[in-house]
Amino acid sequence: DYHASRVPPDRAGDPTPGPSRAKNVRARGRRGRLLGCLASPKPDPPVPLDPDAPTPPTDAAETYLGAVDLGSNSFHMAVARVVNGVPVIVDRLREPVKLARGLDKKGRLSEEAVSRAITCLERFAQRLRHIPDDRVRAVATNTLRQSKHPQAFLEAAERALGHPIEVVAGTEEARLIYLGVAQDLSDDTGPRLVVDIGGGSTEVIVGGVEPAAAVSLQRGAVRCTEGFLGDDPPGQAARARLAASLDDDMASARARVGTAPTVIGVAGTFTTLAAVDIGHYDPELVHGHVLSADRLEAIIDRLASLAVADRREVPGLDPARAPYIVAGGEIALAALRAAEASDVVISERDLL
């Protein structure tokens, strides 16, 4: 169920939305990095998402970088302008493609999932068309790793995007995630545990300034929803079975890579749960927000009591994540139990 590798160089019981009693811990870096491997240690803040943002001009192409993440649940794109050697985000897009939902038990992607993916990548291509291939990195993660015959999809996807796409191993994905997080905490050299909950897999990484060890679990929010939480809303027995299974996986992960006193949660599950706690989504407030384990459990219990249609109305909850947020929250809780941690710091930084 997992692959581990050494990686090279509080407010309990109250289910209503609102700020956590634990203070918001501000990360010490500045925003704006673009994939861990293209990161700058102290980049500037990104501008807000602007769907009508202009494409970089041709004569300035060499001053821009692009990055694309073909995730199992969402596709992400970012464009950065290099200013004095520092990449500054000027455009960012995210679309809930739900690629993992289109992967059947034989590892085949459905036509509907492929169509959603290609349409999304064609939109991304409009932002990237003037940036040379050697200044764009596009990576695909767990769903394409699980696909039995990804080449046909990749060929169509590369034509749509206009740039090569690399299917990265779980440990490389984990390395990039960790570097994206760590550069935002560049003056904090202490050990930390980074947990990234995706749609199809969860990456658990331990390190200091650099990642030291990583495990990629085949336990993502979409995968766990489909495997355990079929009822709407899910029953207590199903949640208990999922929690027990996740505890086994997280215990195995800890035995392989260890743990750390500081737990950092990244990606959509954690940022969504933080937004629900705050009462609305604001990246400035979400980044560095601290959720106690008790408060996290209270939020998940509340969301699990609601049907998906009702979850979509919860302040701070991205409606597209409503079907999967309970399973994602159970993964988050299992990670905290395995780490014996009382809280988690939420980060807006990850692979992209």
Side-chain angles (χ1 to χ4, degrees):
D1 284 338
Y2 61 87
H3 173 67
S5 173
R6 296 290 153 180
V7 180
D10 28 16
R11 188 174 58 198
D14 177 7
T16 57
S20 171
R21 285 180 183 170
K23 69 176 181 178
N24 183 292
V25 176
R26 287 286 158 216
R28 284 171 282 277
R30 288 181 290 160
R31 298 187 185 184
R33 59 110 205 98
L34 192 68
L35 282 179
C37 60
L38 301 179
S40 168
K42 295 250 183 188
D44 291 331
V47 299
L49 170 63
D50 178 6
D52 300 317
T55 303
T58 304
D59 60 0
E62 290 301 319
T63 67
Y64 285 84
L65 297 171
V68 177
D69 169 18
L70 282 69
S72 295
N73 190 43
S74 300
F75 285 10
H76 300 255
M77 182 217 71
V79 174
R81 186 169 183 267
V82 181
V83 180
N84 297 323
V86 176
V88 179
I89 299 291
V90 296
D91 194 14
R92 187 187 292 275
L93 290 174
R94 179 186 74 85
E95 292 201 18
V97 173
K98 301 183 178 71
L99 195 64
R101 286 188 63 184
L103 188 71
D104 66 20
K105 293 181 179 180
K106 294 183 178 180
R108 300 174 300 194
L109 285 169
S110 70
E111 292 183 5
E112 293 82 0
V114 171
S115 177
R116 291 194 300 269
I118 296 303
T119 299
C120 172
L121 293 173
E122 287 173 345
R123 281 195 282 269
F124 287 1
Q126 296 301 309
R127 306 300 212 280
L128 300 170
R129 64 179 181 269
H130 293 306
I131 305 179
D133 281 352
D134 63 356
R135 300 184 71 80
V136 174
R137 187 174 187 188
V139 298
T141 57
N142 186 71
T143 296
L144 270 297
R145 290 197 294 266
Q146 299 301 311
S147 175
K148 297 299 183 185
H149 304 287
Q151 197 55 42
F153 170 81
L154 288 171
E155 290 174 359
E158 289 178 344
R159 285 195 300 270
L161 184 64
H163 294 279
I165 298 171
E166 174 188 4
V167 180
V168 294
T171 49
E172 173 64 2
E173 180 183 0
R175 187 183 74 87
L176 295 177
I177 291 164
Y178 191 91
L179 291 176
V181 173
Q183 61 138 352
D184 199 52
L185 301 167
S186 56
D187 56 347
D188 178 3
T189 60
R192 59 182 77 97
L193 171 69
V194 174
V195 182
D196 182 316
I197 301 171
S201 66
T202 294
E203 274 58 56
V204 180
I205 315 109
V206 175
V209 176
E210 296 284 337
V215 58
S216 182
L217 299 168
Q218 297 304 305
R219 297 290 192 157
V222 175
R223 188 187 296 269
C224 287
T225 299
E226 294 176 345
F228 290 86
L229 305 182
D231 293 337
D232 183 23
Q236 288 289 343
R239 289 181 61 198
R241 286 193 296 272
L242 173 58
S245 180
L246 290 169
D247 283 342
D248 288 344
D249 283 350
M250 290 295 177
S252 296
R254 175 170 176 162
R256 296 291 294 271
V257 303
T259 188
T262 299
V263 180
I264 301 175
V266 303
T269 289
F270 281 110
T271 58
T272 297
L273 292 168
V276 170
D277 190 39
I278 294 166
H280 65 283
Y281 177 72
D282 180 340
E284 294 290 338
L285 297 178
V286 166
H287 186 64
H289 187 73
V290 177
L291 273 173
S292 71
D294 288 341
R295 176 62 181 158
L296 182 61
E297 185 170 15
I299 292 171
I300 296 163
D301 285 344
R302 175 187 178 229
L303 295 175
S305 72
L306 302 173
V308 170
D310 295 322
R311 279 182 224 151
R312 297 186 199 277
E313 304 301 319
V314 173
L317 180 60
D318 178 355
R321 293 192 180 276
Y324 315 114
I325 192 62
V326 174
E330 295 288 1
I331 298 171
L333 280 173
L336 290 185
R337 288 193 295 268
E340 300 178 358
S342 60
D343 56 38
V344 56
V345 182
I346 312 301
S347 175
E348 285 276 1
R349 322 294 186 263
D350 52 23
L351 193 148
L352 184 59

